[in-house]
Amino acid sequence: MKTKFSKLSFTIAAAFVASAGIMSVSNASAQSESSFFVADNATVSGDSAQYPDDVLDLSQWKLTLPISLDLPPKSNSATEIKQPQLQTYPQSEYFRLNAAKNGVLFKAIAGGARTTKNTAYPRSELREMQGDGTQPAAWSCTNANHAMYLEQTLLHTTTKKPEVTIAQIHDSKNDNLMVKYFGPPFANGSTDIGKLEARFNNDTMTQILDSAYKIGDPMTIDIAVTSGGNVTVTYKNQRSGVSNSTATVKLTDIVGSCYFKAGIYIQACSKRDIYNNTNTACVSKNRSVDRSETDPYAYSEIEVRNITLR
């Protein structure tokens, strides 16, 4: 297991070991980008990085992408990549190193593949794992201390319904916590000013993190769960200086165990997907035309520069 070094976190990294289990994606990017990290107390140049796992420590995560690798592709068969394949997973349009070589881009499209037929929204998202990265994390929601720290920037959103989830705590059934961005009406998706909210216990409680978040602003988010199921979210906008910590909220109506999620889970969909199939879960929402994405490739994207579990 390796711990990544970032310019802000200054943690020591263990040496990168390439896995032979490389999987391919039909639209994989030809770019080979990189990041700066330290291995065995020695500086390694940024040009040596080849994969997103060289920038972020993904040893305790699995990845879900908004595409199907089935032949023929299936709308309800989003691709999942686990360890050890994730270590050397090649860059894709939906999961790739950024041009600055200090972060990983997660992109989800309105008409992408979903995880189930009852899910309307696609995602490019990490799900917390444990052990060697092949088993789902499942920690006590009420009797343990767990935390996730993120350094990231929301880069783009869909325009008809500019809403995205950028961090989560989930149990076997519930959305215990969702950090969400809500853009303005008539959004352009790239320079909008919207709201960042922490939504607890299936949206029954909301606390504002940033009432004027501008797309492109770098942020830090720290989510801490303490014994008793108490959750606090601490946020800082690194451009504007806005800083907020939520009141401590107790998780309620818990089902099973908890785990973290990170990346981007768009809250928008197109009625027909990129495989020319009807997204019945999207249609059933009966949204007005001005709230439904007509382009299945309409997208939201986030850049993650640091993700740390503790």
Side-chain angles (χ1 to χ4, degrees):
M1 175 179 173
K2 57 182 176 292
T3 302
K4 286 293 188 300
F5 176 97
S6 80
K7 292 179 181 177
L8 294 176
S9 63
F10 289 94
T11 55
I12 304 289
F16 171 76
V17 180
S19 164
I22 298 177
M23 301 179 67
S24 62
V25 179
S26 58
N27 57 359
S29 167
Q31 287 182 304
S32 176
E33 303 183 27
S34 54
S35 182
F36 175 84
F37 69 98
V38 170
D40 293 334
N41 296 315
T43 299
V44 179
S45 69
D47 290 342
S48 66
Q50 301 178 60
Y51 309 107
D53 188 76
D54 293 342
V55 177
L56 301 177
D57 181 4
L58 301 176
S59 61
Q60 299 291 294
W61 298 95
K62 78 171 179 180
L63 173 68
T64 300
L65 293 174
I67 52 173
S68 172
L69 294 184
D70 292 343
L71 295 175
K74 298 177 182 176
S75 298
N76 303 314
S77 185
T79 298
E80 289 191 347
I81 311 297
K82 297 180 181 179
Q83 294 291 354
Q85 286 80 14
L86 187 54
Q87 271 192 339
T88 52
Y89 191 74
Q91 297 190 74
S92 151
E93 179 180 353
Y94 304 102
F95 177 67
R96 66 193 191 281
L97 291 164
N98 65 358
K101 305 178 182 180
N102 66 348
V104 176
L105 301 175
F106 294 78
K107 178 181 178 180
I109 53 175
R114 286 89 60 199
T115 52
T116 70
K117 66 179 181 180
N118 296 320
T119 301
Y121 305 133
R123 67 192 76 204
S124 181
E125 193 175 47
L126 297 171
R127 195 265 195 217
E128 185 186 6
M129 305 292 277
Q130 62 184 343
D132 61 359
T134 61
Q135 298 301 314
W139 37 268
S140 171
C141 307
T142 59
N143 194 31
N145 295 333
H146 290 270
M148 177 174 69
Y149 172 76
L150 297 164
E151 296 171 10
Q152 58 188 18
T153 301
L154 182 62
L155 298 176
H156 197 275
T157 70
T158 51
T159 57
K160 298 291 185 67
K161 189 170 180 280
E163 299 176 15
V164 293
T165 299
I166 58 175
Q168 296 187 61
I169 299 174
H170 217 281
D171 67 15
S172 300
K173 180 181 179 180
N174 299 298
D175 299 321
N176 311 101
L177 167 69
M178 301 180 82
V179 178
K180 300 180 74 171
Y181 167 84
F182 294 86
F186 310 108
N188 61 42
S190 57
T191 61
D192 301 312
I193 296 176
K195 294 187 299 182
L196 276 176
E197 300 180 353
R199 295 195 161 203
F200 300 88
N201 297 322
N202 292 319
D203 286 346
T204 59
M205 180 182 294
T206 299
Q207 296 191 32
I208 300 293
L209 297 174
D210 194 334
S211 61
Y213 177 82
K214 184 176 182 180
I215 292 179
D217 285 354
M219 72 180 91
T220 63
I221 295 174
D222 190 86
I223 301 169
V225 184
T226 57
S227 185
N230 297 308
V231 182
T232 304
V233 180
T234 302
Y235 164 86
K236 183 171 183 179
N237 184 317
Q238 294 177 305
R239 179 194 63 84
S240 69
V242 168
S243 182
N244 274 311
S245 290
T246 66
T248 300
V249 176
K250 187 177 181 64
L251 299 181
T252 60
D253 300 321
I254 294 166
V255 178
S257 301
C258 283
Y259 55 91
F260 289 115
K261 303 187 84 173
I264 199 153
Y265 178 31
I266 63 173
Q267 307 294 288
C269 55
S270 59
K271 294 179 180 179
R272 295 196 72 79
D273 62 31
I274 58 174
Y275 305 114
N276 203 32
N277 295 322
T278 300
N279 181 341
T280 55
C282 185
V283 171
S284 69
K285 293 184 179 295
N286 293 317
R287 291 207 176 94
S288 60
V289 173
D290 64 345
R291 294 285 282 171
S292 297
E293 301 296 334
T294 54
D295 179 3
Y297 288 95
Y299 74 97
S300 295
E301 188 170 54
I302 196 166
E303 175 187 272
V304 181
R305 296 176 299 280
N306 188 357
I307 180 168
T308 302
L309 297 171
R310 64 182 195 279

